[in-house]
Amino acid sequence: MAESAKARGTGIAKRSPEYIHKKMEEGKAVIALTTEGTWVGFCYIEAWEHEKYVANSGLIVSPPFRKTGVAREIKRKVFELSRKRYPHAKIFGLTTGLAVMKINSELGYEPVTYSELTTDEEFWKGCRSCVNFEILTSKNRMNCMCTAMQFDPAEDARKKAELTKTVVTEDGHIEHHRKREFEGNFKLFERWVRFKQFVLLKGWKKKEGDSGKKPSILNFLFFW
Ligand SMILES: CC(C)(COP(=O)(O)OP(=O)(O)OC[C@H]1O[C@@H](n2cnc3c(N)ncnc32)[C@H](O)[C@@H]1OP(=O)(O)O)[C@@H](O)C(=O)NCCC(=O)NCCS
């Protein structure tokens, strides 16, 4: 996971092999394998703040199996596992990856501010090993390069009730049509994430004395 984060130039909250091992033993992990037993992918969950929150972390798919829908399937299983073990918890994840944001939004997660996430110090301690930790602390833990996405079961139930339209078809069947507001705006959301990361990174580098220059319009257009 750490090598993969390095390769794509993003940060990662490092975990020890023992920690990951424990997740597997506790049944808090989803492991994807081929029928021959080749490792394909992984993700784990952890509850925080007396089970008020559940984080989905460490998603990774083995490179030869990428872009075939494995991550989507793992995240679906992880979501089911989180709902089953902690039915009242808010489920969240922090990510810089657009693939994950897309999958999350399909599952009903919505982008939230960091203030809506757990305040459990142990969770945030995990970010100390990330290369972007200074950005997180400089923003008083209110923002960073990752986008926070959260599924709130109470909010979801309320929205489902609001957005479900009951239609009686011509042949007399009753159909319930559901509409999710967020999915239609994904392109705009992607752009917003790139812009946020651009602004955060520029601001941070400037503070570090890297350039001191204002972001140029060309840089901005590149990120947009
Ligand atoms: C990110 C990662 C988990 C995606 O796994 P995957 O199995 O290839 O993803 P899927 O095939 O299930 O793709 C799901 C969706 O994301 C899209 N997607 C996949 N990789 C993408 C990428 N690098 N950039 C943008 N979109 C991507 C797919 O096109 C698909 O959308 P579509 O169905 O609308 O076409 C995998 O590339 C990986 O392990 N990367 C390194 C570790 C990492 O970044 N983990 C996430 C940390 S939060």
Side-chain angles (χ1 to χ4, degrees), residues 4 8 59-61 66-72 95 99-100 102:
S4 171
R8 61 185 199 274
L59 175 70
I60 186 148
V61 172
R66 287 182 189 170
K67 302 259 172 124
T68 58
V70 173
R72 184 175 269 125
T95 184
V100 180
K102 196 173 201 177

Side-chain angles (χ1 to χ4, degrees), residues 30 43-45 56 74-82:
V30 170
C43 191
Y44 70 87
I45 65 172
N56 298 168
I74 293 176
K75 284 286 294 184
R76 197 177 59 78
K77 286 268 175 213
V78 154
F79 181 70
E80 281 170 14
L81 179 67
S82 310

Side-chain angles (χ1 to χ4, degrees), residues 102-116:
K102 196 173 201 177
I103 299 169
N104 281 348
S105 70
E106 288 165 4
L107 289 168
Y109 294 57
E110 294 195 341
V112 291
T113 57
Y114 283 28
S115 61
E116 289 186 56

